[in-house]
Structure formats: C-alpha cells, structure tokens
Amino acid sequence: MELYLDTADIAAVKRLNRILPIQGVTTNPSIVAKERRPVFDVLSELQDILGDKGQLFAQTMGNTAEQMIEDAQKLRNHIKTIVVKVPVTGEGLVAIKELTKLGIPTLGTAVYGAGQGLLSALAGAKYVAPYVNRVDAQGGDGIGMVCELQQLLELHAPDSMVLAASFRTPRQALDCLLAGCESVTLPVDVAELFIADPAVNAAIEKFESDWKGAFGSTKL
Ligand code: E4P
C-alpha cells in the first residue's frame, strides 16, 4: 500500500518523513494557500524533502479543460514527476483524457460519489481520491462510497488506484484500508494520532521505572 501526508507544512513534512513510511505528499489549493508563500517555492521544498523517490501531488486551478491542461503543464515543467490533481467535473474529465494522451499522470479529485470516481478512472486517472470525511459531514456514508469505488475499479478500471482522502480520524483511514484501498493520504493531526495513544507513553514509563527499581542507572 501507499501512505501519503496531506499537507504543505514544511516543518511537519520534515518531521514526519523521518518517522513514517510515507511515499509522498498530497496538496490541494487550500492546503498550499495556508503557507502564504509562492506555490512553486513550497512545492519545490516539499519535493526536496521527499527526494527523488518521493511522490508529490498538486492540483490544477483552472475551470476549463484548456486551463487545467495548461496548469498541469506548468506544474510538470516545474517538477517533472508531479502527479496532477484534477477535479472530476465535466471539464476535468476532458482534461484527464487529454493529459493521459500526453503521458501526464493524473489524480481525479473532489470525488463525492463512486460513479464520479469511476468515470475519472475510465478517463485515465491513475489515482482517484474520494473525500471520506466531507461525505460523512454532509450526512452521507464516506466509507460506503469508498467500498463501492474500490470494487468498481477492481472490476472495470484495474489500472487506477483509490487514494482515499479527507480524514478526521484514524478509524476512517483504517476502514478504507480494510475495504481494500491501496492508498490513503492523512492530514498531519490524523497521522500523529496513530502514534499518540497516551497508553503507549504510560507503558514505556512503567518499563523505565521497573528497570530503574531493579538496575538503577545501569544501561542495557
Ligand atoms: C485530497 O485530494 C483532498 O485535497 C483532501 O484530502 C481534502 O481533505 P479535507 O476534507 O480535509 O479538506
């Protein structure tokens, strides 16, 4: 499976890239806007931290297929291995088909339904990103959507991969992985929750106090 961080926070990526087995970083316009710095500077720094093998994702901003294709080419000119995120609208599907013909890898994003996600895969998107928590937050069933999308891709678009996104809890991400998703992208706070159970620290403190009780300051 592939694990990504969903952030453009340079300090957080540096810290978590050291700790977690991540394949790369996903961004979107809202995430990059939080940094209040030129977009291409932020993307270059992220790619530098990830190194040659790390996969970076960035999103188009245009509303027409032509603008999206132009944005994609700008992104790829700047970072040659970047995967281009394209919102799955009608125009987005036109752009994904064209970018696929040009050999530019894409991710279909802003996916709120399994059928919508399937169409982006059939258009050629390498990754499809269903928005789990946003669907839950509007009263839908985010995990249910991901299960359907996963099955649809396995049956009809096996060259595409679900990259589940939009999480508020580790449980949501685990449920996606249990549904067979091959990749997830986690916001920093959710990634940190996986290793932040207070019971873990309590267990380690008990090991230390038992050791000190028996051996004092002697090391292993
Ligand atoms: C992924 O493609 C999206 O950019 C992102 O995960 C959306 O997450 P949010 O709902 O936390 O903004």
Side-chain angles (χ1 to χ4, degrees), residues 7-11 29-38 42 46:
T7 183
D9 178 337
I10 301 290
S30 306
I31 286 173
V32 174
K34 278 189 209 155
E35 302 308 304
R36 293 280 183 266
R37 291 196 294 130
V42 174
L46 289 169

Side-chain angles (χ1 to χ4, degrees), residues 3 20-21 29 31 42-43 54 56 58 85 94 102 105-106 108 120 122 127 129-130 133 151 191 209:
L3 177 64
L20 300 176
I31 286 173
V42 174
L43 295 176
L56 186 62
K85 295 174 69 176
V94 175
L102 295 171
T106 56
S120 69
L122 294 175
Y127 297 90
N133 190 68
Q151 285 177 47
S209 77

Side-chain angles (χ1 to χ4, degrees), residues 137-150:
Q138 63 186 28
D141 175 7
I143 304 297
M145 168 188 60
V146 168
C147 288
E148 282 188 2
L149 179 58
Q150 180 63 35

Side-chain angles (χ1 to χ4, degrees), residues 22-35:
I22 59 165
Q23 268 68 42
V25 164
T26 58
T27 67
N28 66 30
S30 306
I31 286 173
V32 174
K34 278 189 209 155
E35 302 308 304

Side-chain angles (χ1 to χ4, degrees), residues 151-164:
Q151 285 177 47
L152 286 165
L153 296 198
E154 280 168 18
L155 288 168
H156 303 296
D159 293 337
S160 302
M161 183 189 294
V162 176
L163 197 170

Side-chain angles (χ1 to χ4, degrees), residues 192-205:
E192 285 178 326
L193 279 173
F194 272 96
I195 47 173
D197 189 326
V200 175
N201 285 341
I204 292 167
E205 278 165 21

